[in-house]
Amino acid sequence: MAAYNAAPFISDAILSVVDQEFADFVCYIVDDGSEDGTGDIARSLTADDHRFKVIDQSHGGVSSARNLGVSQLPPTKYLIFPDADDVWHTDALKTLVEAASALGGAGAHALGDQIDAQGRPYRPGSFIEIGRDRFVSKHLRRYSVPLDRPSTFESLVHSCTVYPPGLWLLSRSVFELLGGFDNWFRNFEDWDLVIRSARFGDFAFVNEVIVDYRAHPTQASTNPASHKYFNSVLAKSLKSALNTPSQRKAVLSAWRTQEWGHAVEHLRRSIKEPEFARTSAPRAGLCLFRCVAGPIKVPVPPDSAAGNAATS
């Protein structure tokens, strides 16, 4: 569990881990240079529970914190990365471990629903539908993945629905093969890892809510500047030398379907709201160009072609 200035929420997060029906786990909490006493709260709550350990590091970001935590863990079969502001349901670990073990792929994922800063339901059900919206594409058309089917590389690269990271479980052997989270990303680092992991196996999908995903003003996903990393994930995935021909085709289809959808949205707005035509029409043209040309001038990590595999 990576934690940075999470004092208002980390108690709920830790206690939800303590209360798991599946009790055979270890949880390392990495205080990523917090300035609000997050680490002290974590230590006071876990001092008498041998399954927990609190680690301190200078502020380096969520990816480096998670990678540090994993590097110090004892041997485990699976890994999971609950956020310090979210709350697990009591059956979260049990549900994911059973699903991953039954499939034998790269891991498993389930669903989350939102709560607000005070822990009250927030837009009930809407986030569940985002998690269920798994799809693939062909010739710019979307095709939904049935709820009883696992999530494959093809579906996972099309939509960032496997979040927050507390709702997906990953094989540790796959994590270590890939070299962990990519420190270059400041957001969507979890989606990047899921996509890379899916090259080595499918993820079992569990159509059940197992986590309360907290919406609050200080969470990373509310920062507009972080959204630029969405396209970087796709661009990196497209350039990876680890792709099979079919995987590269899937990434390119995902990119083109996304840009086509954006172009259609801008065109519709320019027609329905003529006052916005001056800006919407050129944006539609840009999206159409990107649809054909691919992710030109999209920033990516310097080692993207290697795919971040530890063996590359």
Side-chain angles (χ1 to χ4, degrees):
M1 178 185 293
Y4 177 65
N5 288 345
F9 311 117
I10 195 168
S11 294
D12 289 345
I14 291 174
L15 292 176
S16 76
V17 177
V18 172
D19 290 340
Q20 288 301 296
E21 297 171 7
F22 183 92
D24 185 17
F25 66 82
V26 290
C27 179
Y28 282 13
I29 302 164
V30 180
D31 181 9
D32 185 31
S34 297
E35 300 172 346
D36 64 351
T38 290
D40 294 334
I41 296 171
R43 287 184 177 85
S44 67
L45 287 173
T46 62
D48 298 325
D49 194 328
H50 70 279
R51 299 173 299 178
F52 289 83
K53 180 179 180 179
V54 180
I55 303 168
D56 296 303
Q57 74 163 21
S58 300
H59 185 53
V62 66
S63 293
S64 67
R66 291 171 180 157
N67 289 338
L68 174 62
V70 173
S71 71
Q72 298 194 22
L73 280 173
T76 61
K77 185 175 182 179
Y78 297 113
L79 299 170
I80 192 167
F81 304 94
D83 281 339
D85 51 1
D86 296 334
V87 180
W88 266 345
H89 294 194
T90 57
D91 62 347
L93 276 180
K94 178 176 179 290
T95 298
L96 292 175
V97 169
E98 289 178 351
S101 299
L103 181 66
H109 71 101
L111 299 170
D113 207 0
Q114 285 187 296
I115 57 174
D116 65 14
Q118 288 73 42
R120 300 170 301 201
Y122 177 69
R123 300 188 301 181
S126 61
F127 197 74
I128 296 174
E129 293 309 311
I130 292 174
R132 288 176 177 152
D133 187 27
R134 302 176 303 146
F135 63 93
V136 296
S137 68
K138 185 176 182 180
H139 305 311
L140 305 180
R141 295 190 62 180
R142 292 172 38 144
Y143 298 90
S144 295
V145 176
L147 294 177
D148 61 349
R149 300 297 300 275
S151 294
T152 63
F153 177 90
E154 186 177 7
S155 64
L156 289 165
V157 80
H158 274 80
S159 53
C160 181
T161 58
V162 187
Y163 69 99
L167 58 72
W168 54 271
L169 186 83
L170 175 63
S171 164
R172 184 168 184 175
S173 62
V174 172
F175 178 93
E176 293 181 342
L177 174 67
L178 294 169
F181 288 94
D182 188 335
N183 288 321
W184 184 85
F185 287 96
R186 290 296 176 264
N187 202 3
F188 296 104
E189 75 292 327
D190 45 357
W191 187 32
D192 168 67
L193 180 59
V194 166
I195 290 172
R196 289 188 285 131
S197 301
R199 290 192 176 98
F200 300 93
D202 296 342
F203 281 78
F205 173 66
V206 183
N207 188 28
E208 299 175 16
V209 176
I210 64 165
V211 65
D212 293 329
Y213 173 46
R214 196 183 301 271
H216 59 91
T218 60
Q219 65 187 146
S221 59
T222 62
N223 182 357
S226 67
H227 293 173
K228 65 181 181 181
Y229 292 104
F230 185 99
N231 283 342
S232 294
V233 170
L234 288 178
K236 173 187 172 182
S237 300
L238 184 62
K239 293 181 178 182
S240 174
L242 299 179
N243 283 331
T244 64
S246 63
Q247 288 170 346
R248 188 181 188 281
K249 184 178 179 181
V251 182
L252 192 57
S253 181
W255 173 269
R256 287 175 172 164
T257 301
Q258 168 191 274
E259 293 303 312
W260 175 258
H262 291 336
V264 171
E265 289 174 5
H266 288 306
L267 284 173
R268 284 176 176 168
R269 188 178 191 193
S270 66
I271 294 170
K272 292 182 178 180
E273 304 175 67
E275 65 272 23
F276 293 105
R278 180 176 294 181
T279 56
S280 293
R283 287 173 181 171
L286 177 61
C287 291
L288 287 173
F289 172 77
R290 287 157 61 99
C291 176
V292 176
I296 296 175
K297 295 185 178 180
V298 175
V300 294
D303 57 347
S304 292
N308 287 101
T311 55
S312 62

